[in-house]
Every structure is written in C-alpha cells, then in structure tokens.
Amino acid sequence: MTFNLALSNAISGMNVATTSIQVRSNKIANALNENYARRDVDLASSPLGGVRVVSISRDTNAFLQRDRLSADAQSAEAGVRSQALNSINRVFGEPGDDQGLFATLSRFEVALDDLATAPESASYQQAAVTRAQDLSATFNRIGDAVTDIRTDADRDIAATVKEVNTALEALASLNKTAHRDIANGLSDAVEQREALVNTIGDALDIRVIDEGRGQIRILTAEGVTLLNASGAKPLEFTAGGVVSPEKTLAGGQLSGLSVNGVTLTPDGGAQAIKTGSLAGLFAVRDDIGVDFGNRIDALAEDLVSRFSDPAVDPTIPVGGEGLFLSNGTGAGAAARISVNSVVDPKQGGELWRIRDGVGAVTPGPSADAGVTTGLQAAIDEARVLTTTTDSPSALTLVEATAAFSSVIGTEKIAVDSIAAAKAATAQGLRDEELAATGVNTDQELQSLLLIEQAYAANARVVQVVSDMMARLLEI
C-alpha cells in the first residue's frame, strides 16, 4: 500500500467519522422530539480509495404514519364529544350534586309537602316560593349553558380552521424550499413539516402523499385536496357569534365547512369529513347541543304546563298563567322560565297566593289547604315525555327528571368509553411509530464510542505515515 493510498483511506475515514458524529449528536439532541425521525449515514467506497458519505437518510414509515394520523383524528373527535358530554353532565348535575336539577326539584317537592301540612305558615309559604325560584334559576342556568356550549363549539371551529389554514400555508412555503433543505441531512425542515402535518391531522382525517424532492400533497380521507404543488387550499368557515337555540345549520343561520366550494361539513355529502376535532365540534354545535337543548326545553315546558292547569289551581283562568311562567328573557324555554311575581313580595306579590292560588284576589282562611294539594298533584301527575326521557311510559315530574339524568349519564359513559378506546389505539400506533423511527439513546451512545475508536485509529494511521515520511526524509 502506498503512502498516498494509506493517507487517502485514513483521511476519508476521519471525514466519515466526523459526519457520523454530527448525525448521532443531532439524533441524541432530538431524542425527545416526537416529530423527529432518526438519521443514518449512507456510505460507499470511494474511487480514490477509502469511503465516502453518499447521503444522510431519514428513517420513515409511511404506512405507520397513515394509520397513526387516522387514529389521531378519530381520537380527537371522540375526545371533543366526551368533553361536551361531561360538560353537559356537570351542568345538569351529577348524582348527589346539591345544585343539580334533580336536587332543586326534590327540594321544591319537599317544600310543597311541608306547605300542605301547615298551609297557614308564612315560613313554609316563603320556603315554597324560594324553592320554586331556585328551580327556575336552575333551569335558566342549564338553558344558558346550552347556548354557551354551542357558542364555544362554533368559536372553536373558527379557531381550528384558522390553525389548519396557517399550517397549510406554512407547508406550502416548505414545499417551495424543500428541494434545498433535503440536501442538508441535518436540516430540521422535515421536523417542522411533520409538526404541521400533525396539527392538521388532529383536526381532519388526512392522507399525506410524498411527491418526491421533499414535497408533499395532502388530501382529506374523502379525497378533497388541501395542499398540492400549486399551494394551499384553505378551509372556509364563518363564525356565527352567539349560537342561540333558534340558530341552526339547516336554517342557514350557521356556517358549514368547505374548500373551494366543496362541502366538508359532517353529514353534508360524499366528501364530508367524518373524523377529527372539527367533526367533533360540528357534532357538539349541531347535534349534541341541540339535542340536549330540546330535552331540557321540553322538560321546562312540561313544568310550566303542569302548574298552569286550572285543575291544579282553580283560580287560574283558562289559558292563564300559573305558578311558573315561560316569558322571561332567553332564547330557549329553559332559559325563559320564571316564577310568577304575584307570589313574591319582593316583586309586589303576596305570599298567601302560593296557598290560595295565583289568581286569588283576597286571602282565604289561614288554615285552609287552598291549592296546596293541587300543587302536590301537579308534580305527581304521570305524563308521557318522550322528547326528554326517550321513554314511552307516563312519568311523574321527578321520575322524568331522573330518567333525563339517566339518558345523559348513559350517553356520557358510552362516549367516554369510546374516547378512551380511541385514545389508547392512537397512543399504541404512536408508540409503534416511535419504536420504528425514533432514537435509541443507548444505542447511539454506543455507536459514538465505536466511531471515536475508528476516528482514533485513522488518526493513528495518519500519524504513522507522517512519522515514516519524516524518517525517510532524514535518510
């Protein structure tokens, strides 16, 4: 072996070792970056002797990425639904919740029972009025919460659309410079791209297609283009402001989702999105929130109807107002319900009317039961309220409220189970992808030791050749 060949081999080995050290150091530094995929140095023999770096390749698994993105979208949608049902359950009142609807209705029922035992008691009369007002206030709170839940969902749709559009624009910019960035194997441009893709993948179920030279194309799972060589195709959506009960997508008061005129709104056609956080948010705004609002409004209307019946309170004229009214402020029946001011001294009414009837002109005998028996009967009357309870059976007001609570609780448990399963699937695929493309720091540190030894060996060859040439020159 000539001196030139020996030096060439040793120097090329040192150069490869230097590059390998840079790559492995970069891998160790990004070991906790979930968007990072490990790099490897691809080598080949050099025509002049020794070795050379052909490229720095990035380990990826397109199949795992596709499955993981789909699972992320499904998990995000289920998570949004679960959060909404949990919010609704908290608003309505979980079992044992002292401020829940069932608890306030039960206290009102007890107050009416107490009043019936001592109708002349001013304290019992006041307690019955106070409990009635607590009940109407609870309905108001729940009715307002329905509007808040739907409004929040609409606002979150707008925010998510903006986030997706920003990510698409950034990806379009990366596509334009990708051919330069991929030449540098240590560039973090690919990691930036993966983070942006993951952002979009949470909002929508997408397909990512590698176009070569570092460029990608993105489609929805249903085939609608969001990004191609010509640029980004932004999502189109208009926030609806306060989403009161009368506002609906079908009625045209609320915006759908589209791209270049193609409808993506869930249940809006063959190209409508089916999973992702956006699909979940549309479900909350247009299905879950509407359904809960219809149920609570039906229960509120039933309460008003029960206590407006002349059979309950003979002092009420036909078509007149009873103990509870539905003409307050608010869009839904639950938000409008209030207690008739004629029984409230603070509003110019008289307490005795809770005993003698809301239409009574003068107080009756103090020990007379008045309408208290009828008020008790109003709560105990069995009625069919399928809209609220999903049951064809006739139920008392307390039973209907309990059945409503059961409907909410059952749906919450089912949605929570689905969300947990979807999250576990997504995490499993994420772990599998990480195992296939992530960085094993122990392995990389061991490689660094071997590379250091190889570098030292090549450096020793250079030193030996240098010493031999110096000795020859001295002869």
Side-chain angles (χ1 to χ4, degrees), residues 6 13 42 46 62 75 93 101 104 128 234-235 244 247 256 272 310 334 347 392 399 417-418 442:
D42 300 323
S46 173
S75 177
L101 183 61
T104 53
L235 302 178
S244 48
K247 289 185 176 181
Q347 300 182 66
E399 290 171 341
S417 297
I418 292 172
D442 290 340

Side-chain angles (χ1 to χ4, degrees), residues 164-186:
V164 169
N165 286 341
T166 300
L168 287 171
E169 290 295 339
L171 285 170
S173 297
L174 286 174
N175 266 353
K176 293 177 181 178
T177 60
H179 63 282
R180 295 197 303 267
D181 292 330
I182 59 174
N184 178 5
L186 299 179

Side-chain angles (χ1 to χ4, degrees), residues 131-151:
R131 294 310 184 191
Q133 291 172 332
D134 290 345
L135 181 58
S136 68
T138 301
F139 268 105
N140 296 160
R141 175 175 59 81
I142 296 173
D144 290 339
V146 173
T147 296
D148 292 341
I149 288 169
R150 296 185 68 210
T151 299

Side-chain angles (χ1 to χ4, degrees), residues 415-427:
V415 171
D416 283 350
S417 297
I418 292 172
K422 298 289 187 183
T425 299
Q427 185 60 53

